[in-house]
Amino acid sequence: EPEVTQTPSHQVTQMGQEVILRCVPISNHLYFYWYRQILGQKVEFLVSFYNNEISEKSEIFDDQFSVERPDGSNFTLKIRSTKLEDSAMYFCASSEGLAGDDTQYFGPGTRLTVL
Amino acid sequence: AQKITQTQPGMFVQEKEAVTLDCTYDTSDQSYGLFWYKQPSSGEMIFLIYQGSYDEQNATEGRYSLNFQKARKSANLVISASQLGDSAMYFCAGGESYNTDKLIFGTGTRLQVFP
């Protein structure tokens, strides 16, 4: 069964450093997403990506963040100048269609720890 | 804007018994979907079941069923014949078909199954 994959599973970085989180969505999916979950809290939407551009972003997704689909399979989230409060689990997800109509399948997550 | 409410922070159930996890939603969109995800202690988000707003039948997937009451704006998850492996966090999430790409998550319910 196709699945979303994410690398690395755990990333530790120093405050102020840049990190890139990588995802390979399910191959026939058209919509890609990043969510985050701060420990013990609920899952929050960051950004959605469709047709090679951002289609929606949350207030959290400020200039510190960027997304890219560098080739036909990878989808990346870059966090510049990380802060302590960026420590969280970051989930990539993908779907065939719109949020109300099609299931978003999540990857296993990347746990980011900023020291 | 959509809102998802889960009022049960924790639930206990004995193995082999059925349990209902509550979820209410609020949306202005006529077309929407409701989803349940399971998050075990390992952290991944596992899709369980989907209910579309226009579906007349309650969704079922194996031991999972969704008690969808549109007039009451509730989409409760019923797990039948609970197993020890069902112990996890359960998140209800909602997606709209036209207004937004994102899933809105509830705060989750921690289910513990005891022998």
Side-chain angles (χ1 to χ4, degrees), chain A residues 10-14 84 86-88 111-115:
Chain A
H10 193 185
Q11 174 94 47
V12 180
T13 190
Q14 294 289 327
L84 294 176
D86 294 328
S87 294
R111 184 170 297 284
L112 176 66
T113 303
V114 182
L115 302 175

Side-chain angles (χ1 to χ4, degrees), chain B residues 41-109:
Chain B
S41 57
S42 50
E44 69 266 36
M45 294 289 288
I46 302 167
F47 165 70
L48 295 178
I49 195 166
Y50 161 78
Q51 179 85 42
S53 57
Y54 291 115
D55 293 340
E56 295 185 356
Q57 302 282 339
N58 284 343
T60 60
E61 287 285 349
R63 294 186 299 110
Y64 305 108
S65 61
L66 209 152
N67 184 1
F68 182 48
Q69 297 187 43
K70 200 168 180 178
R72 300 179 67 177
K73 295 193 173 182
S74 72
N76 298 338
L77 176 70
V78 180
I79 305 174
S80 62
S82 297
Q83 301 172 356
L84 296 178
D86 293 335
S87 295
M89 279 291 285
Y90 288 81
F91 290 96
C92 179
E96 295 176 343
S97 297
Y98 302 114
N99 293 334
T100 178
D101 294 343
K102 64 191 174 200
L103 285 181
I104 300 293
F105 282 79
T107 50
T109 296

Side-chain angles (χ1 to χ4, degrees), chain A residues 22-35:
Chain A
R22 292 182 167 79
C23 168
V24 179
I26 295 172
S27 61
N28 65 331
H29 285 185
L30 302 176
Y31 294 79
F32 314 118
Y33 313 85
W34 284 100
Y35 291 82

Side-chain angles (χ1 to χ4, degrees), chain A residues 35 37 48 55-56 100-101 104, chain B residues 37 39 50 97 100-101 103:
Chain A
Y35 291 82
Q37 184 183 32
S48 58
S55 57
E56 186 175 351
D101 303 328
Q104 293 184 20
Chain B
Y37 290 86
Q39 186 176 43
Y50 161 78
S97 297
T100 178
D101 294 343
L103 285 181

